[in-house]
C-alpha cells in the first residue's frame, strides 16, 4: 500500500472510474482483462474502484453469499496490487448518490437507447419478459457510476464499449437539456493488451464468474492442485500445438490457452509459439500450470490472509466510501440544483 512511484494527485492524467461485480469469485479473466490494468493505471490517474453490488442484484444473488463475495472481491483486488490508500476502493451501495443520480438519468435516457443495448439482449436471453427491470436500466446506473464522479476516463473492454457510449450520450443530453455543461464526456482508456479470456470448457464463451461449471474458470483463490486439474481438463483439440499464427485459425481453445500463457508471461505470440514448439498439449498445460501458479499463488495467499480479518476489510471499504462520497455528494448537489429540485431548508 505504498504511495511511492505514483504521480501526485494534482498532476494526474484524469479521473478514472471502474467497477467489478461481486457476483462470484474473481477469476483469471477479471485479473488479466481488468485488475492488472488498474494496477498500472493507478500510477497516472486518480482512480475510484467500485465493487458494484447494486449491479450484481440485477440477477438473483444469495444475500449471505453476496456479503462474502463483496469482501472477497475487495481482498482480491488489494492482493493483486490495487491500492486502497492511493485510490478510493469502495462498495457501490455505500455511496447513495449512485442510485440518486441513476434516477435522474433514468429520466434523461430514452427507451430507444436502452432497447439497443446488446448486453441486455444477451443476458435476458429468450426470457426477456421475465428479466428484472434493474437489468434493463443497468446501463443508466453504470452511467451514474461514472458521471457522479465526473470521471474523465473509463477503462473498457470490448463488451462495455456500448455502455460507455450510452453514458456519453446521456451526459451530452443532460448538458444540452439543462443548458449547462455539468458532465465531462468520459473517454475510453485502453492500457495493456486488453485481452478477453475465454472459458476453459468452451473457447467461444468468455470466462465468467456465473458460469455453472467451476472447471470453466481459474479462480484467483484456486490453489496449485486446482489450477493443475483445471488446465488438465481444459478443452483442447486433437491436432498438435500450433507453431504459427496461421495454424491457430479456427482453434479457439488452443488460441485461448496460448493467449493466457502469453499474458501471464508478458510474451508475444511469436515468443510463446517458439517456447512451446514440439510440445504435446499435456506438456504445454503443465507449463501453463507453472506460470499461472507463479502469478496467482502470491495473490491467492494474500487474499486468504486479508479474508482472515473481515473487520479490517470493512474498515478499508468504509474509508474508500468516505472519499468517494465526498466527491459524489458535491456532484449530486450540483445536479439537483440544475434540475430544479427545491433545496432542503
Ligand atoms: N473473461 C474475461 N476476459 C477479460 N476481461 C474480463 N472481465 C470479466 N470477464 C473477463 C472484465 O472484468 C471486469 C469486471 O467484470 P464484471 O465483474 O463487472 O462483469 P462481467 O464482465 O460480467 O464479469 P463476469 O465474470 O462475466 O461476471 P458475471 O458472470 O456475473 O456476468 C470488467 O472490466 C470486465 O470486462
Amino acid at each position: 500500500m505504498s504511495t511511492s512511484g505514483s504521480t501526485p494527485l494534482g498532476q494526474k492524467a484524469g479521473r478514472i472510474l471502474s467497477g467489478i461485480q461481486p457476483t462470484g469469485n474473481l477469476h483469471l479473466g477479471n485479473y488479466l482483462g481488468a485488475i492488472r490494468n488498474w494496477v498500472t493505471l493507478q500510477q497516472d490517474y486518480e482512480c475510484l474502484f467500485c465493487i458494484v453490488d447494486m449491479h450484481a442484484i440485477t440477477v438473483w444473488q444469495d444475500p449471505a453469499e453476496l456479503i462474502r463475495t463483496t469482501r472477497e472481491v475487495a481482498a482480491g483486488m488489494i492482493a493483486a496490487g490495487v491500492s486502497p490508500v492511493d485510490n478510493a476502493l469502495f462498495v457501490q451501495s455505500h455511496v447513495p448518490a449512485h442510485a440518486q443520480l441513476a434516477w435522474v438519468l433514468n429520466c434523461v435516457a430514452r427507451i430507444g437507447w436502452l432497447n439497443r443495448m446488446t448486453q441486455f439482449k444477451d443476458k435476458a436471453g429468450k426470457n426477456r419478459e421475465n428479466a428484472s427491470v434493474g437489468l434493463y436500466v443497468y446501463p443508466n446506473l453504470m452511467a451514474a457510476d461514472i458521471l457522479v464522479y465526473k470521471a474523465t476516463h473509463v477503462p473498457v473492454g470490448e463488451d462495455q464499449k456500448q455502455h460507455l457510449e450510452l453514458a456519453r450520450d446521456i451526459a451530452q443530453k443532460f448538458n444540452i437539456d439543462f443548458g449547462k455543461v455539468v458532465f465531462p464526456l468520459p473517454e475510453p482508456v485502453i492500457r495493456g493488451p486488453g485481452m478477453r479470456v475465454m472459458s476453459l470448457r468452451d473457447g467461444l464463451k468468455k470466462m465468467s464468474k456465473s458460469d455453472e461449471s467451476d472447471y470453466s474458470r481459474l479462480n484467483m483463490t484456486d490453489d496449485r492442485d486446482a489450477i493443475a486439474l483445471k488446465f488438465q481438463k481444459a478443452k483442447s483439440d486433437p491436432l498438435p500445438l500450433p507453431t504459427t499464427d496461421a495454424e491457430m485459425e479456427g482453434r479457439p481453445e488452443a488460441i485461448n490457452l496460448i493467449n493466457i500463457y502469453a499474458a501471464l508471461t508478458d510474451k508475444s505470440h511469436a515468443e510463446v509459439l517458439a517456447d512451446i514448439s514440439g510440445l504435446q498439449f499435456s506438456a504445454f498445460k503443465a507449463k501453463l500450470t507453472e506460470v499461472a501458479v507463479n502469478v496467482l499463488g502470491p495473490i491467492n495467499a494474500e487474499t486468504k490472509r486479508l479474508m482472515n480479518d473481515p473487520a479490517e476489510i470493512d474498515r478499508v471499504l468504509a474509508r474508500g466510501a468516505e472519499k468517494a462520497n465526498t466527491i459524489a455528494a458535491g456532484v449530486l448537489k450540483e445536479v439537483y440544483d440544475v434540475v430544479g429540485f427545491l433545496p432542503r431548508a
Side-chain angles (χ1 to χ4, degrees):
M1 298 188 194
S2 108
T3 52
S4 61
S6 61
T7 313
L9 209 58
Q11 301 160 27
K12 297 276 185 183
R15 179 180 287 166
I16 276 183
L17 179 286
S18 202
I20 190 156
Q21 296 190 74
T23 38
N25 293 320
L26 288 182
H27 54 71
L28 189 67
N30 297 132
Y31 178 66
L32 294 176
I35 298 174
R36 195 167 74 155
N37 289 338
W38 297 348
V39 174
T40 316
L41 289 166
Q42 68 186 354
Q43 292 169 16
D44 299 328
Y45 290 83
E46 180 193 359
C47 295
L48 297 125
F49 296 121
C50 184
I51 302 171
V52 288
D53 52 352
M54 285 156 56
H55 284 284
I57 63 160
T58 56
V59 295
W60 170 253
Q61 304 296 324
D62 175 80
E65 189 58 10
L66 184 60
I67 290 182
R68 188 192 68 76
T69 49
T70 300
R71 288 198 184 106
E72 193 170 275
V73 165
M77 288 171 68
I78 297 168
V82 169
S83 165
V85 176
D86 296 344
N87 312 298
L89 171 64
F90 63 100
V91 178
Q92 186 184 29
S93 63
H94 292 180
V95 183
H98 287 246
Q100 291 167 306
L101 179 60
W103 180 257
V104 176
L105 301 187
N106 280 341
C107 302
V108 174
R110 306 287 93 181
I111 289 176
W113 298 357
L114 289 180
N115 284 343
R116 286 195 282 278
M117 295 296 112
T118 54
Q119 202 177 73
F120 174 74
K121 291 179 194 159
D122 292 346
K123 287 207 168 181
K126 291 201 181 87
N127 205 1
R128 202 185 143 109
E129 294 294 310
N130 203 32
S132 73
V133 176
L135 189 66
Y136 184 67
V137 292
Y138 179 119
N140 291 349
L141 178 58
M142 187 174 148
D145 298 337
I146 299 165
L147 299 178
V148 82
Y149 301 104
K150 299 192 179 185
T152 56
H153 294 82
V154 181
V156 276
E158 205 47 51
D159 49 346
Q160 292 295 336
K161 271 192 185 157
Q162 200 187 26
H163 288 166
L164 180 60
E165 271 307 314
L166 183 83
R168 289 169 58 91
D169 289 346
I170 293 174
Q172 197 162 28
K173 184 170 188 315
F174 182 97
N175 291 344
I176 291 169
D177 285 355
F178 294 100
K180 187 171 178 220
V181 181
V182 173
F183 298 119
L185 301 190
E187 299 285 342
V189 55
I190 294 157
R191 273 284 172 94
M195 73 173 300
R196 194 167 168 80
V197 182
M198 308 310 279
S199 158
L200 299 179
R201 306 299 299 157
D202 177 351
L204 296 173
K205 236 169 92 180
K206 92 171 177 149
M207 186 177 283
S208 177
K209 296 187 216 85
S210 51
D211 194 311
E212 277 167 21
S213 167
D214 196 50
Y215 286 104
S216 68
R217 62 184 160 260
L218 279 196
N219 300 310
M220 283 170 69
T221 46
D222 284 342
D223 61 15
R224 170 183 281 276
D225 290 348
I227 293 175
L229 186 64
K230 286 180 180 180
F231 276 134
Q232 261 171 37
K233 284 184 173 281
K235 192 170 170 199
S236 47
D237 58 42
L239 301 172
L241 275 168
T243 51
T244 61
D245 277 345
E247 283 177 22
M248 293 209 284
E249 292 270 319
R251 302 178 61 185
E253 282 80 22
I255 294 174
N256 188 35
L257 295 179
I258 288 168
N259 280 347
I260 292 174
Y261 186 92
L264 287 171
T265 53
D266 279 323
K267 287 186 176 174
S268 67
H269 265 172
E271 286 170 316
V272 175
L273 292 180
D275 263 16
I276 64 174
S277 141
L279 294 184
Q280 304 279 359
F281 259 110
S282 55
F284 172 46
K285 286 175 168 184
K287 262 171 109 64
L288 250 179
T289 300
E290 285 316 307
V291 297
V293 168
N294 273 344
V295 174
L296 297 184
I299 299 175
N300 180 347
E302 180 61 3
T303 304
K304 285 189 175 137
R305 192 189 68 77
L306 293 167
M307 283 297 280
N308 280 333
D309 191 353
E312 177 56 18
I313 297 178
D314 294 357
R315 280 190 289 274
V316 166
L317 291 172
R319 284 196 290 273
E322 218 168 288
K323 284 192 223 171
N325 201 46
T326 307
I327 305 172
V331 174
L332 187 75
K333 163 96 179 64
E334 188 184 348
V335 168
Y336 275 15
D337 286 347
V338 167
V339 166
F341 287 168
L342 179 69
R344 199 168 63 186

